Amino acid sequence: MELIKTIAKMQRFSKDAARQGKIVGVVPTMGYLHDGHVSLIKQARKLADVVIVTIFVNPTQFGPNEDLDKYPRDFERDWMLCEQNGADAIFAPAPDEMYCPDSSTWVTEEKLSRGLCGKSRPVHFRGVTTVVAKLFNATLPDVAVFGQKDAQQAMIIKRMTRDLNFPVEIVVAPIVRETDGLAMSSRNKYLSTEERTRALTISASLRDAERTLKAEGGKALDGIAKKIIERITDADGKVDYVEILDAENLEQVSASTNTVLIAVAAFFGATRLIDNILIIWTE
Ligand code: AMP
């Protein structure tokens, strides 16, 4: 496995692979890898001949009061997990390799980014779309794998890829959970044991919502969000949002909805967690 730190070397690596007729796959991450990331690497391994994992804690997607400085890092462990799971290269640029000091160009998606996490994290998706565009230009992939864990992010990246004609296939892999249901996240490390137990109300209430919606159909929609909020609040969580939307366009559920997305963001202590569930809609 190769460690690549510069954009020029990364582009040479991918161009060489393409010249040999190889399909290049990329898995963009911020490191501190867990089994959720590993599932993306394995998915990329199935779809591509050459797999690049990018590890870059992207400063532009963090707001001023967010956790950029204390975002967890463990490069040695990340290296081991990438190697064990069949990655061919890690692209780990320093911040000043990715961003010139007088950088003044942004990529913004202006519709899907507005709601959900975009409301409480106003600069977040501009940072994500900009860095993913830059990572695509550095790694020159044929296919890129993202996680359903960040449902809104995956949709925005698909939209950006389509709108800007990146020749990249976007694949979205399912959420990987701990055995007790908690969605895996690098940020779970911040939770105390007690907070972690209370945070299980997020995944548990999503599972209940799925059961109710399947049993009762559309008439259950209004009650469902209320119940999720109640359950998280009762566990001393602070709900940022609970939204039930059409999973294809993030608009209100309607007669033409095929899949419903129930998305939650909530704080346990100082840690903001997100989770979601997709439900096939048969109304
Ligand atoms: P991050 O390092 O948190 O920026 O995540 C990098 C990629 O891994 C994103 O596409 C995430 O959606 C994905 N990811 C993070 N957690 C999970 C999970 N529990 N299951 C599946 N994918 C995940």
Side-chain angles (χ1 to χ4, degrees):
M1 195 170 67
E2 276 198 50
L3 172 59
I4 300 175
K5 291 187 166 183
T6 68
I7 292 166
K9 191 169 169 209
M10 188 67 256
Q11 289 169 334
R12 266 201 308 279
F13 176 95
S14 292
K15 282 184 185 169
D16 281 350
R19 228 173 273 127
Q20 294 167 42
K22 292 182 175 164
I23 294 173
V24 176
V26 69
V27 178
T29 81
M30 297 207 297
Y32 208 72
L33 304 182
H34 50 66
D35 282 352
H37 299 111
V38 167
S39 77
L40 308 188
I41 299 172
K42 287 184 174 160
Q43 181 71 32
R45 193 64 279 167
K46 285 189 202 150
L47 300 168
D49 303 307
V50 172
V51 173
I52 302 160
V53 178
T54 73
I55 297 180
F56 180 62
V57 181
N58 173 38
T60 64
Q61 70 190 66
F62 288 79
N65 298 315
E66 294 182 351
D67 56 343
L68 172 63
D69 293 336
K70 63 172 182 131
Y71 196 83
R73 293 161 205 250
D74 187 345
F75 188 77
E76 267 175 42
R77 187 162 175 280
D78 291 349
W79 175 274
M80 194 190 70
L81 285 172
C82 288
E83 195 157 53
Q84 280 173 356
N85 291 287
D88 298 287
I90 291 181
F91 178 52
D96 60 1
E97 174 69 10
M98 284 300 278
Y99 292 102
C100 296
D102 62 346
S103 166
S104 55
T105 305
W106 296 98
V107 176
T108 54
E109 190 288 323
E110 301 195 341
K111 197 158 184 209
L112 303 170
S113 311
R114 288 205 183 125
L116 302 171
C117 292
K119 263 193 208 152
S120 41
R121 304 185 72 192
V123 300
H124 176 65
F125 287 118
R126 179 182 81 158
V128 169
T129 41
T130 300
V131 83
V132 171
K134 287 164 75 65
L135 289 170
F136 283 178
N137 284 334
T139 59
L140 306 172
D142 299 293
V143 56
V145 186
F146 292 86
Q148 175 62 23
K149 163 78 175 14
D150 298 86
Q152 186 182 15
Q153 168 177 285
M155 291 179 72
I156 291 168
I157 285 164
K158 272 192 186 164
R159 178 67 60 92
M160 173 194 84
T161 302
R162 184 201 73 180
D163 289 352
L164 297 185
N165 308 107
F166 280 105
V168 182
E169 182 195 349
I170 306 298
V171 172
V172 182
I175 301 177
V176 176
R177 298 178 180 281
E178 305 284 358
T179 45
D180 57 11
L182 186 71
M184 288 191 184
S185 164
S186 307
R187 290 189 166 100
N188 291 349
K189 177 191 155 67
Y190 301 146
L191 297 168
S192 68
T193 315
E194 180 257 346
E195 285 166 348
R196 192 191 175 291
T197 306
R198 292 193 280 111
L200 291 175
T201 48
I202 298 178
S203 52
S205 61
L206 283 172
R207 279 197 308 273
D208 279 357
E210 180 180 28
R211 264 195 299 274
T212 311
L213 201 57
K214 280 186 172 159
E216 297 175 22
K219 65 178 189 310
L221 273 180
D222 286 344
I224 282 177
K226 240 186 250 161
K227 257 196 207 134
I228 299 174
I229 293 171
E230 233 168 62
R231 189 146 172 204
I232 295 173
T233 311
D234 283 350
D236 270 342
K238 192 169 150 280
V239 172
D240 179 1
Y241 64 74
V242 173
E243 297 220 34
I244 304 178
L245 299 168
D246 186 317
E248 268 141 54
N249 50 27
L250 299 185
E251 286 171 12
Q252 292 306 307
V253 173
S254 71
S256 59
T257 298
N258 294 314
T259 310
V260 169
L261 171 76
I262 308 183
V264 174
F267 287 88
F268 281 85
T271 308
R272 185 174 180 278
L273 301 173
I274 58 170
D275 198 350
N276 68 84
I277 198 163
L278 288 174
I279 301 161
I280 305 295
W281 188 241
T282 48
E283 277 293 288

